[in-house]
Amino acid sequence: MKKANWIFTLLLLSSLISGFSNPLTKAGKPVRNVILMIGDGMGTSEIYAGLTLNHGHLNLERMKNIGFSKTHSTSYVTDSGAGGTALATGHKTYNGAIGVDAAGNPVKTILEWAEEKGRATGLVVTCAVTHATPATFISHQASRNDYEIIAADFLKTDIDVFIGGGLNHFQKRKDGVDLTTKLRDKGYAIAHNLDEIKALKHGPVAGLLDTLHEPRWLDGRGDRLTESVHEAIRLLSMDKDGFFLMVEGSQIDWGGHANDINYIATEMVDFDKAIGEVLDFAEKNGETLVIVTADHETGGLSLNGGNLETGEIQAGFTLKDHTGVMVPVFSFGPYSEKFTGIQENTAIFYKMLDAFGFNTKK
Ligand code: MG
Ligand code: ZN
């Protein structure tokens, strides 16, 4: 056998062996579902703050494939508009951008790709559904501040499930238009609380649970995020073609801006509960890729002391804004090994497309 043939045979063998060694990954077979979970402002310190409050453990520890993401936008320190756009579209852009590249051109999002390829799609957040992170998946606007314009963009998609706050941006608008009527005309159920969502036999549903943002966990939000995720998965998994779902722990970031360690740690534990819900589904399902990452870190949080028994944390902060540090990328299920190592935030988009088996050439 010629040397070139030998190398080819070895490559073929090693790819077969690596394919067989992981029972979840049948080499080259696209995944059915992708669930992307974004902890806004969630660096390693925020994670460890949650772990401390939770007495030494988090569901995140169930995710064995771990990497890092370089979060910079066209600036060294990103905001959630550019950070979300990088994850949603694979483009580095300017801070404040929503689903547009650095030149302001609209760029197709992973949610739009999934929709075009016949997958069901969903967003579940604890802020307004029109806020920067969720907006980057369904909207293309020059500025994250145009909430009412972003709300109208939901009507341009066929998103199956969206749950969060933001009712005012749909109903109490400067132009006087009631977008919930338009959504109803398009076939959406409009739900104002979780019980209304639980009663639904199928989607599509606009779950607009609050006028603006959802309350803080500290102010009695309870298990709403985890329950919303449970309902979203129930409705989306009725589609035999699979689904894409983005879940955001939106307010870890707001605790960081407030330099409030109690706010950060409680939001982190709440987000982790939703991660547990998703992992339970993915474990049983076997065809679901789960990615948990952040858009950036917020607050320059350091943990100067603490107690894993009492959950006490002594926190230090360097600023009331975002920082430029790398953030972790946790992944689980088929294709999850592709998300290890140090990568650009934009690479996460392309790896999700690959996992779905979508052809980016057209
Ligand atoms: Mg956000
Ligand atoms: Zn922020």
Side-chain angles (χ1 to χ4, degrees):
M1 206 180 278
K2 277 192 224 149
K3 197 179 170 196
N5 285 343
W6 260 113
I7 290 166
F8 177 75
T9 308
L10 279 173
L11 281 173
L12 192 70
L13 273 173
S14 68
S15 70
L16 279 172
I17 290 161
S18 64
F20 287 135
S21 67
N22 180 350
L24 284 175
T25 311
K26 293 189 191 100
K29 193 184 170 221
V31 301
R32 181 181 298 270
N33 313 309
V34 175
I35 304 178
L36 172 65
M37 305 184 75
I38 302 174
D40 198 314
M42 185 190 73
T44 52
S45 294
E46 286 75 9
I47 292 169
Y48 205 78
L51 180 144
T52 304
L53 181 66
N54 211 35
H55 307 294
H57 281 289
L58 288 176
N59 286 305
L60 257 183
E61 293 172 76
R62 294 161 62 185
M63 305 181 78
K64 300 302 180 197
N65 284 325
I66 300 170
F68 278 96
S69 163
K70 297 191 260 187
T71 65
H72 72 89
S73 59
T74 53
S75 303
Y76 186 82
V77 177
T78 188
D79 83 320
S80 294
T85 299
L87 296 167
T89 76
H91 288 264
K92 298 267 187 189
T93 188
Y94 61 91
N95 290 354
I98 298 295
V100 296
D101 66 16
N105 304 307
V107 273
K108 205 199 286 188
T109 74
I110 181 74
L111 190 146
E112 290 166 335
W113 269 100
E115 197 175 273
E116 196 178 292
K117 298 285 187 180
R119 276 19 177 233
T121 56
L123 295 173
V124 175
V125 299
T126 53
C127 54
V129 295
T130 46
H131 205 249
T133 310
T136 59
F137 288 81
I138 60 98
S139 179
H140 306 279
Q141 296 298 336
S143 167
R144 59 181 286 176
N145 299 322
D146 295 330
Y147 296 115
E148 295 185 0
I149 298 171
I150 290 166
D153 281 348
F154 274 86
L155 281 145
K156 295 181 188 158
T157 72
D158 288 314
I159 183 170
D160 297 273
V161 176
F162 56 100
I163 306 174
L167 180 64
N168 280 1
H169 301 145
F170 289 81
Q171 240 174 6
K172 300 240 156 63
R173 299 164 55 82
K174 282 187 218 93
D175 61 11
V177 177
D178 185 348
L179 294 181
T180 62
T181 308
K182 293 198 168 195
L183 283 165
R184 236 180 237 114
D185 291 345
K186 247 190 121 179
Y188 283 85
I190 310 294
H192 298 295
N193 58 58
L194 263 171
D195 286 338
E196 289 173 12
I197 298 174
K198 286 177 187 167
L200 294 174
K201 301 258 186 312
H202 55 76
V205 57
L208 295 165
L209 309 185
D210 282 285
T211 51
L212 199 50
H213 305 301
E214 297 202 358
R216 309 189 311 168
W217 185 88
L218 286 168
D219 295 331
R221 193 173 74 233
D223 278 342
R224 206 198 266 188
L225 177 60
T226 300
E227 289 188 44
S228 297
V229 166
H230 181 88
E231 293 307 309
I233 291 174
R234 178 179 69 84
L235 294 168
L236 292 171
S237 56
M238 288 175 187
D239 190 319
K240 62 176 173 32
D241 299 316
F243 65 83
F244 170 79
L245 171 64
M246 193 285 284
V247 177
E248 186 194 20
S250 317
Q251 298 195 31
I252 301 165
D253 174 64
W254 302 353
H257 284 287
N259 284 185
D260 181 339
I261 189 61
N262 204 18
Y263 193 177
I264 292 170
T266 48
E267 292 296 331
M268 184 62 225
V269 172
D270 181 59
F271 184 50
D272 185 67
K273 215 175 280 173
I275 292 167
E277 177 74 30
V278 164
L279 292 178
D280 289 348
F281 167 78
E283 256 167 20
K284 273 189 232 108
N285 177 269
E287 295 179 287
T288 301
L289 165 65
V290 183
I291 303 133
V292 179
T293 189
D295 45 1
H296 53 74
E297 193 274 345
T298 307
L301 173 61
S302 67
L303 307 177
N304 302 333
N307 187 317
L308 291 166
E309 262 112 62
T310 63
E312 178 215 342
I313 306 160
Q314 290 147 27
F317 294 91
T318 60
L319 78 177
K320 296 203 163 179
D321 210 333
H322 306 161
T323 66
V325 296
M326 294 193 292
V327 293
V329 181
F330 300 84
S331 51
F332 180 93
Y335 269 84
S336 59
E337 66 282 356
K338 308 278 191 207
F339 293 81
T340 58
I342 296 176
Q343 60 215 303
E344 294 290 348
N345 52 6
T346 47
I348 294 169
F349 163 81
Y350 290 102
K351 291 172 187 181
M352 290 191 292
L353 274 193
D354 275 353
F356 264 137
F358 297 162
N359 179 11
T360 56
K361 294 291 180 287
K362 39 172 216 175

PDB file of all heavy atoms in Angstrom, residues 101-124:
ATOM      1  N   ASP A 101     -24.635  43.311  10.530  1.00  0.00           N
ATOM      2  CA  ASP A 101     -23.178  43.246  10.603  1.00  0.00           C
ATOM      3  C   ASP A 101     -22.594  44.640  10.849  1.00  0.00           C
ATOM      4  O   ASP A 101     -23.337  45.619  11.008  1.00  0.00           O
ATOM      5  CB  ASP A 101     -22.601  42.557   9.351  1.00  0.00           C
ATOM      6  CG  ASP A 101     -22.815  43.357   8.067  1.00  0.00           C
ATOM      7  OD1 ASP A 101     -23.140  44.575   8.151  1.00  0.00           O
ATOM      8  OD2 ASP A 101     -22.662  42.767   6.978  1.00  0.00           O
ATOM      9  N   ALA A 102     -21.275  44.719  10.839  1.00  0.00           N
ATOM     10  CA  ALA A 102     -20.594  45.975  11.195  1.00  0.00           C
ATOM     11  C   ALA A 102     -20.934  47.097  10.218  1.00  0.00           C
ATOM     12  O   ALA A 102     -20.852  48.283  10.565  1.00  0.00           O
ATOM     13  CB  ALA A 102     -19.089  45.755  11.256  1.00  0.00           C
ATOM     14  N   ALA A 103     -21.336  46.726   8.982  1.00  0.00           N
ATOM     15  CA  ALA A 103     -21.728  47.740   7.997  1.00  0.00           C
ATOM     16  C   ALA A 103     -23.222  48.049   8.058  1.00  0.00           C
ATOM     17  O   ALA A 103     -23.726  48.862   7.294  1.00  0.00           O
ATOM     18  CB  ALA A 103     -21.349  47.260   6.595  1.00  0.00           C
ATOM     19  N   GLY A 104     -23.928  47.391   8.980  1.00  0.00           N
ATOM     20  CA  GLY A 104     -25.364  47.647   9.135  1.00  0.00           C
ATOM     21  C   GLY A 104     -26.263  46.775   8.279  1.00  0.00           C
ATOM     22  O   GLY A 104     -27.482  46.971   8.252  1.00  0.00           O
ATOM     23  N   ASN A 105     -25.683  45.791   7.583  1.00  0.00           N
ATOM     24  CA  ASN A 105     -26.499  44.898   6.747  1.00  0.00           C
ATOM     25  C   ASN A 105     -27.126  43.789   7.587  1.00  0.00           C
ATOM     26  O   ASN A 105     -26.455  43.191   8.417  1.00  0.00           O
ATOM     27  CB  ASN A 105     -25.639  44.238   5.658  1.00  0.00           C
ATOM     28  CG  ASN A 105     -24.919  45.269   4.810  1.00  0.00           C
ATOM     29  OD1 ASN A 105     -25.551  46.174   4.273  1.00  0.00           O
ATOM     30  ND2 ASN A 105     -23.605  45.140   4.727  1.00  0.00           N
ATOM     31  N   PRO A 106     -28.418  43.472   7.341  1.00  0.00           N
ATOM     32  CA  PRO A 106     -29.057  42.356   8.043  1.00  0.00           C
ATOM     33  C   PRO A 106     -28.337  41.041   7.744  1.00  0.00           C
ATOM     34  O   PRO A 106     -27.938  40.817   6.599  1.00  0.00           O
ATOM     35  CB  PRO A 106     -30.472  42.311   7.451  1.00  0.00           C
ATOM     36  CG  PRO A 106     -30.664  43.582   6.714  1.00  0.00           C
ATOM     37  CD  PRO A 106     -29.317  44.121   6.383  1.00  0.00           C
ATOM     38  N   VAL A 107     -28.128  40.217   8.756  1.00  0.00           N
ATOM     39  CA  VAL A 107     -27.494  38.907   8.567  1.00  0.00           C
ATOM     40  C   VAL A 107     -28.386  37.826   9.181  1.00  0.00           C
ATOM     41  O   VAL A 107     -28.962  38.024  10.243  1.00  0.00           O
ATOM     42  CB  VAL A 107     -26.061  38.869   9.153  1.00  0.00           C
ATOM     43  CG1 VAL A 107     -25.061  39.358   8.124  1.00  0.00           C
ATOM     44  CG2 VAL A 107     -25.933  39.717  10.418  1.00  0.00           C
ATOM     45  N   LYS A 108     -28.498  36.698   8.453  1.00  0.00           N
ATOM     46  CA  LYS A 108     -29.466  35.667   8.827  1.00  0.00           C
ATOM     47  C   LYS A 108     -29.095  35.013  10.161  1.00  0.00           C
ATOM     48  O   LYS A 108     -27.938  34.662  10.387  1.00  0.00           O
ATOM     49  CB  LYS A 108     -29.538  34.604   7.729  1.00  0.00           C
ATOM     50  CG  LYS A 108     -30.878  33.859   7.716  1.00  0.00           C
ATOM     51  CD  LYS A 108     -30.809  32.554   6.988  1.00  0.00           C
ATOM     52  CE  LYS A 108     -30.753  32.694   5.483  1.00  0.00           C
ATOM     53  NZ  LYS A 108     -30.868  31.366   4.825  1.00  0.00           N
ATOM     54  N   THR A 109     -30.079  34.839  11.021  1.00  0.00           N
ATOM     55  CA  THR A 109     -29.819  34.275  12.346  1.00  0.00           C
ATOM     56  C   THR A 109     -30.027  32.757  12.348  1.00  0.00           C
ATOM     57  O   THR A 109     -30.709  32.211  11.478  1.00  0.00           O
ATOM     58  CB  THR A 109     -30.751  34.887  13.406  1.00  0.00           C
ATOM     59  OG1 THR A 109     -32.068  34.342  13.238  1.00  0.00           O
ATOM     60  CG2 THR A 109     -30.814  36.408  13.293  1.00  0.00           C
ATOM     61  N   ILE A 110     -29.482  32.099  13.345  1.00  0.00           N
ATOM     62  CA  ILE A 110     -29.653  30.644  13.500  1.00  0.00           C
ATOM     63  C   ILE A 110     -31.140  30.308  13.638  1.00  0.00           C
ATOM     64  O   ILE A 110     -31.600  29.291  13.121  1.00  0.00           O
ATOM     65  CB  ILE A 110     -28.828  30.110  14.698  1.00  0.00           C
ATOM     66  CG1 ILE A 110     -28.968  28.593  14.860  1.00  0.00           C
ATOM     67  CG2 ILE A 110     -29.181  30.796  16.012  1.00  0.00           C
ATOM     68  CD1 ILE A 110     -28.243  27.775  13.857  1.00  0.00           C
ATOM     69  N   LEU A 111     -31.899  31.184  14.263  1.00  0.00           N
ATOM     70  CA  LEU A 111     -33.348  30.935  14.398  1.00  0.00           C
ATOM     71  C   LEU A 111     -34.016  31.012  13.022  1.00  0.00           C
ATOM     72  O   LEU A 111     -34.873  30.184  12.683  1.00  0.00           O
ATOM     73  CB  LEU A 111     -33.968  31.943  15.365  1.00  0.00           C
ATOM     74  CG  LEU A 111     -35.417  31.683  15.794  1.00  0.00           C
ATOM     75  CD1 LEU A 111     -35.642  32.128  17.235  1.00  0.00           C
ATOM     76  CD2 LEU A 111     -36.425  32.377  14.876  1.00  0.00           C
ATOM     77  N   GLU A 112     -33.595  31.976  12.207  1.00  0.00           N
ATOM     78  CA  GLU A 112     -34.160  32.082  10.851  1.00  0.00           C
ATOM     79  C   GLU A 112     -33.735  30.904   9.979  1.00  0.00           C
ATOM     80  O   GLU A 112     -34.526  30.402   9.172  1.00  0.00           O
ATOM     81  CB  GLU A 112     -33.736  33.419  10.221  1.00  0.00           C
ATOM     82  CG  GLU A 112     -34.432  34.606  10.886  1.00  0.00           C
ATOM     83  CD  GLU A 112     -33.822  35.950  10.561  1.00  0.00           C
ATOM     84  OE1 GLU A 112     -32.621  36.027  10.223  1.00  0.00           O
ATOM     85  OE2 GLU A 112     -34.541  36.960  10.649  1.00  0.00           O
ATOM     86  N   TRP A 113     -32.480  30.462  10.126  1.00  0.00           N
ATOM     87  CA  TRP A 113     -32.026  29.253   9.427  1.00  0.00           C
ATOM     88  C   TRP A 113     -32.913  28.069   9.811  1.00  0.00           C
ATOM     89  O   TRP A 113     -33.368  27.316   8.950  1.00  0.00           O
ATOM     90  CB  TRP A 113     -30.582  28.921   9.829  1.00  0.00           C
ATOM     91  CG  TRP A 113     -29.536  29.536   8.965  1.00  0.00           C
ATOM     92  CD1 TRP A 113     -28.817  30.656   9.241  1.00  0.00           C
ATOM     93  CD2 TRP A 113     -29.085  29.061   7.689  1.00  0.00           C
ATOM     94  NE1 TRP A 113     -27.940  30.909   8.222  1.00  0.00           N
ATOM     95  CE2 TRP A 113     -28.073  29.948   7.250  1.00  0.00           C
ATOM     96  CE3 TRP A 113     -29.429  27.979   6.885  1.00  0.00           C
ATOM     97  CZ2 TRP A 113     -27.407  29.779   6.044  1.00  0.00           C
ATOM     98  CZ3 TRP A 113     -28.767  27.816   5.679  1.00  0.00           C
ATOM     99  CH2 TRP A 113     -27.765  28.709   5.265  1.00  0.00           C
ATOM    100  N   ALA A 114     -33.132  27.895  11.105  1.00  0.00           N
ATOM    101  CA  ALA A 114     -33.905  26.745  11.593  1.00  0.00           C
ATOM    102  C   ALA A 114     -35.328  26.789  11.045  1.00  0.00           C
ATOM    103  O   ALA A 114     -35.873  25.777  10.591  1.00  0.00           O
ATOM    104  CB  ALA A 114     -33.905  26.730  13.116  1.00  0.00           C
ATOM    105  N   GLU A 115     -35.908  27.992  11.076  1.00  0.00           N
ATOM    106  CA  GLU A 115     -37.270  28.186  10.563  1.00  0.00           C
ATOM    107  C   GLU A 115     -37.338  27.830   9.075  1.00  0.00           C
ATOM    108  O   GLU A 115     -38.231  27.087   8.635  1.00  0.00           O
ATOM    109  CB  GLU A 115     -37.625  29.652  10.766  1.00  0.00           C
ATOM    110  CG  GLU A 115     -39.078  29.988  10.673  1.00  0.00           C
ATOM    111  CD  GLU A 115     -39.281  31.456  11.023  1.00  0.00           C
ATOM    112  OE1 GLU A 115     -39.434  31.743  12.215  1.00  0.00           O
ATOM    113  OE2 GLU A 115     -39.264  32.298  10.111  1.00  0.00           O
ATOM    114  N   GLU A 116     -36.374  28.343   8.303  1.00  0.00           N
ATOM    115  CA  GLU A 116     -36.328  28.094   6.865  1.00  0.00           C
ATOM    116  C   GLU A 116     -36.194  26.602   6.555  1.00  0.00           C
ATOM    117  O   GLU A 116     -36.708  26.120   5.548  1.00  0.00           O
ATOM    118  CB  GLU A 116     -35.124  28.863   6.297  1.00  0.00           C
ATOM    119  CG  GLU A 116     -35.124  29.042   4.802  1.00  0.00           C
ATOM    120  CD  GLU A 116     -33.905  29.858   4.387  1.00  0.00           C
ATOM    121  OE1 GLU A 116     -33.857  31.063   4.715  1.00  0.00           O
ATOM    122  OE2 GLU A 116     -32.990  29.294   3.748  1.00  0.00           O
ATOM    123  N   LYS A 117     -35.509  25.878   7.430  1.00  0.00           N
ATOM    124  CA  LYS A 117     -35.291  24.440   7.204  1.00  0.00           C
ATOM    125  C   LYS A 117     -36.374  23.588   7.874  1.00  0.00           C
ATOM    126  O   LYS A 117     -36.186  22.384   8.073  1.00  0.00           O
ATOM    127  CB  LYS A 117     -33.909  24.031   7.730  1.00  0.00           C
ATOM    128  CG  LYS A 117     -32.749  24.744   7.029  1.00  0.00           C
ATOM    129  CD  LYS A 117     -32.516  24.183   5.642  1.00  0.00           C
ATOM    130  CE  LYS A 117     -31.251  24.801   5.032  1.00  0.00           C
ATOM    131  NZ  LYS A 117     -31.005  24.276   3.665  1.00  0.00           N
ATOM    132  N   GLY A 118     -37.461  24.209   8.293  1.00  0.00           N
ATOM    133  CA  GLY A 118     -38.612  23.443   8.767  1.00  0.00           C
ATOM    134  C   GLY A 118     -38.589  23.062  10.237  1.00  0.00           C
ATOM    135  O   GLY A 118     -39.442  22.307  10.694  1.00  0.00           O
ATOM    136  N   ARG A 119     -37.598  23.590  10.992  1.00  0.00           N
ATOM    137  CA  ARG A 119     -37.586  23.318  12.429  1.00  0.00           C
ATOM    138  C   ARG A 119     -38.541  24.270  13.143  1.00  0.00           C
ATOM    139  O   ARG A 119     -38.746  25.402  12.691  1.00  0.00           O
ATOM    140  CB  ARG A 119     -36.201  23.574  13.018  1.00  0.00           C
ATOM    141  CG  ARG A 119     -35.122  22.508  12.953  1.00  0.00           C
ATOM    142  CD  ARG A 119     -35.260  21.426  11.978  1.00  0.00           C
ATOM    143  NE  ARG A 119     -34.099  20.550  12.005  1.00  0.00           N
ATOM    144  CZ  ARG A 119     -33.393  20.228  10.940  1.00  0.00           C
ATOM    145  NH1 ARG A 119     -33.730  20.672   9.756  1.00  0.00           N
ATOM    146  NH2 ARG A 119     -32.360  19.415  11.055  1.00  0.00           N
ATOM    147  N   ALA A 120     -39.078  23.834  14.271  1.00  0.00           N
ATOM    148  CA  ALA A 120     -39.809  24.742  15.154  1.00  0.00           C
ATOM    149  C   ALA A 120     -38.782  25.621  15.869  1.00  0.00           C
ATOM    150  O   ALA A 120     -37.621  25.235  16.032  1.00  0.00           O
ATOM    151  CB  ALA A 120     -40.624  23.945  16.158  1.00  0.00           C
ATOM    152  N   THR A 121     -39.219  26.824  16.283  1.00  0.00           N
ATOM    153  CA  THR A 121     -38.266  27.754  16.908  1.00  0.00           C
ATOM    154  C   THR A 121     -38.873  28.421  18.141  1.00  0.00           C
ATOM    155  O   THR A 121     -40.087  28.633  18.213  1.00  0.00           O
ATOM    156  CB  THR A 121     -37.841  28.859  15.918  1.00  0.00           C
ATOM    157  OG1 THR A 121     -39.007  29.537  15.444  1.00  0.00           O
ATOM    158  CG2 THR A 121     -37.059  28.298  14.753  1.00  0.00           C
ATOM    159  N   GLY A 122     -38.010  28.762  19.116  1.00  0.00           N
ATOM    160  CA  GLY A 122     -38.514  29.390  20.326  1.00  0.00           C
ATOM    161  C   GLY A 122     -37.484  30.244  21.046  1.00  0.00           C
ATOM    162  O   GLY A 122     -36.273  30.088  20.859  1.00  0.00           O
ATOM    163  N   LEU A 123     -37.995  31.171  21.848  1.00  0.00           N
ATOM    164  CA  LEU A 123     -37.184  32.031  22.723  1.00  0.00           C
ATOM    165  C   LEU A 123     -37.838  32.076  24.095  1.00  0.00           C
ATOM    166  O   LEU A 123     -39.046  32.299  24.193  1.00  0.00           O
ATOM    167  CB  LEU A 123     -37.138  33.468  22.176  1.00  0.00           C
ATOM    168  CG  LEU A 123     -36.463  33.766  20.835  1.00  0.00           C
ATOM    169  CD1 LEU A 123     -36.705  35.223  20.437  1.00  0.00           C
ATOM    170  CD2 LEU A 123     -34.966  33.494  20.925  1.00  0.00           C
ATOM    171  N   VAL A 124     -37.045  31.868  25.148  1.00  0.00           N
ATOM    172  CA  VAL A 124     -37.552  32.006  26.519  1.00  0.00           C
ATOM    173  C   VAL A 124     -36.557  32.865  27.304  1.00  0.00           C
ATOM    174  O   VAL A 124     -35.362  32.524  27.361  1.00  0.00           O
ATOM    175  CB  VAL A 124     -37.699  30.635  27.216  1.00  0.00           C
ATOM    176  CG1 VAL A 124     -38.108  30.820  28.676  1.00  0.00           C
ATOM    177  CG2 VAL A 124     -38.718  29.762  26.500  1.00  0.00           C
TER     178      VAL A 124
END
